[in-house]
Amino acid sequence: MLTMISITAPIFLLILVGFLAARGGIIPRESLPGMSSFVLYLALPVLIFHKLTQMDIGQVVDSDYLLVYGASGILSFFTVFLISRLSTRNSISYAGLKGMGGAMPNSVFIGFPVALQYFGSPPTQALVMSLMIENIVLFPIALAFMETRDDQGADLKQLVTTVALRLIKNPVIISIISGVLVSLTGIRMPQFVDSAMQILSGSAAPVALIIIGASLAGAKVTASIKEISLISVCKLLLQPVIALLLVIFVLPDMDDTLKKAVVIFAASPMLSVYPILGSKYGHQVFCSGVLLITTILAFFSVTLMLSLLSLI
């Protein structure tokens, strides 16, 4: 257990540093959008592009990993959604928003840094596949419910357009496609370009963690204990446990590294832009509070899941 804490402690220490820096005025809240853009539009895409150009494309996609990650996310989403609808009588849109919180891992800002600590080298293959499932499967499902009104239903044309535009403009998706194309063509970057990309990509994880902590500094908890418990349990425990059970009992022949990576990414707390997405539906304060609590609890749950990886 102490070994696992030594892996997660540096991650959450950087989140705490970001939180304290924002509370102390060292990092102005006005600077967070710029810092986030740096990670999302420069550091992270360069990291993915750089690693993909050095990989055999035939080894990037693993069907077992996609199945496990997709199934664990979908089951977690509908667990939160159905309980919210049947137990607390939430609207379809609100229940969908809660379902997103219980199923969309923060694979980029927390999952990747934890996996990097655990494996000692960037698990780019797992990160790429996780992002594919999140952006092509989980987000469209969640968005379909979030855009649905109980009395009017969903505008299918608008929904398809919204999802398509998000994919086309997503820098992560662009980096994946461009990295695959460069790898297939056999193009090799000049040494000075390769070195520059290594330096830039190395900043993605630490800056991202500082951003998470700083963004939590102004969060207020307005959600009820029942709501927080539902989303937290499904996101932090149910989703990774489903992934763990699948790789142990259903897909025992899956690559050992990918087995562990899929559990780590599934164990990550919800995506850091959850409050931003919630603001569109009038629930920014709710989402900020839930994000704050689940991120704090994630230190314990992620440490627990890392300990359970010994079962694989």
Side-chain angles (χ1 to χ4, degrees):
M1 179 64 75
L2 290 178
T3 301
M4 298 305 122
I5 292 177
S6 69
I7 293 174
T8 54
I11 305 300
F12 289 90
L13 176 59
L14 285 180
I15 293 176
L16 177 61
V17 168
F19 179 87
L20 295 176
R23 290 294 295 268
I26 298 175
I27 299 179
R29 293 192 61 83
E30 295 77 15
S31 67
L32 293 181
M35 294 174 65
S36 298
S37 295
F38 165 75
V39 174
L40 291 174
Y41 288 90
L42 286 176
L44 180 63
V46 167
L47 168 66
I48 295 173
F49 174 82
H50 182 236
K51 293 302 177 181
L52 283 177
T53 58
Q54 298 178 328
M55 296 174 63
D56 179 0
I57 297 304
Q59 298 177 351
V60 173
V61 177
D62 183 276
S63 58
D64 290 344
Y65 187 101
L66 296 175
L67 175 62
V68 171
Y69 198 69
S72 62
I74 291 172
L75 289 174
S76 184
F77 173 85
F78 280 106
T79 298
V80 177
F81 178 82
L82 291 175
I83 292 177
S84 297
R85 284 287 289 166
L86 300 177
S87 177
T88 56
R89 304 296 181 182
N90 291 145
S91 67
I92 295 176
S93 178
Y94 192 24
L97 181 64
K98 288 184 177 180
M100 171 180 276
M104 283 284 285
N106 195 340
S107 58
V108 174
F109 288 174
I110 293 185
F112 180 72
V114 171
L116 186 60
Q117 286 283 106
Y118 186 85
F119 293 109
S121 59
T124 311
Q125 180 187 9
L127 174 62
V128 169
M129 290 190 290
S130 297
L131 291 171
M132 291 170 61
I133 291 296
E134 290 166 17
N135 287 277
I136 300 175
V137 178
L138 297 180
F139 180 76
I141 291 175
L143 187 61
F145 287 100
M146 289 159 58
E147 290 289 331
T148 300
R149 294 187 177 182
D150 292 358
D151 56 342
Q152 297 179 4
D155 187 333
L156 183 59
K157 181 179 179 180
Q158 180 180 356
L159 176 61
V160 172
T161 301
T162 300
V163 173
L165 288 175
R166 185 180 189 276
L167 293 177
I168 293 173
K169 296 180 179 180
N170 192 321
V172 172
I173 298 299
I174 294 173
S175 65
I176 292 174
I177 295 175
S178 58
V180 169
L181 291 177
V182 170
S183 180
L184 290 174
T185 57
I187 298 175
R188 288 290 177 263
M189 299 291 108
Q191 182 60 42
F192 72 94
V193 175
D194 185 80
S195 298
M197 287 194 294
Q198 285 185 340
I199 296 172
L200 181 57
S201 61
S203 65
V207 175
L209 294 172
I210 294 294
I211 292 172
I212 290 177
S215 64
L216 295 176
K220 297 180 180 179
V221 181
T222 60
S224 66
I225 295 179
K226 182 178 181 181
E227 291 175 315
I228 293 175
S229 299
L230 171 62
I231 298 175
S232 298
V233 168
C234 287
K235 178 72 233 39
L236 301 178
L237 295 178
L238 177 63
Q239 188 171 2
V241 166
I242 290 174
L244 181 64
L245 293 176
L246 287 175
V247 298
I248 292 177
F249 298 108
V250 180
L251 297 168
D253 297 328
M254 185 175 168
D255 179 80
D256 287 341
T257 299
L258 292 181
K259 282 183 179 180
K260 296 176 180 179
V262 74
V263 174
I264 291 174
F265 280 104
S268 304
M270 66 189 60
L271 67 172
S272 57
V273 295
Y274 188 52
I276 298 176
L277 296 172
S279 65
K280 179 181 177 182
Y281 305 93
H283 298 292
Q284 181 175 6
V285 176
F286 167 84
C287 293
S288 296
V290 174
L291 176 64
L292 173 63
I293 298 300
T294 53
T295 301
I296 294 173
L297 294 177
F299 171 75
F300 305 98
S301 62
V302 172
T303 301
L304 172 63
M305 296 311 302
L306 290 177
S307 300
L308 293 178
L309 290 182
S310 60
L311 299 175
I312 299 179

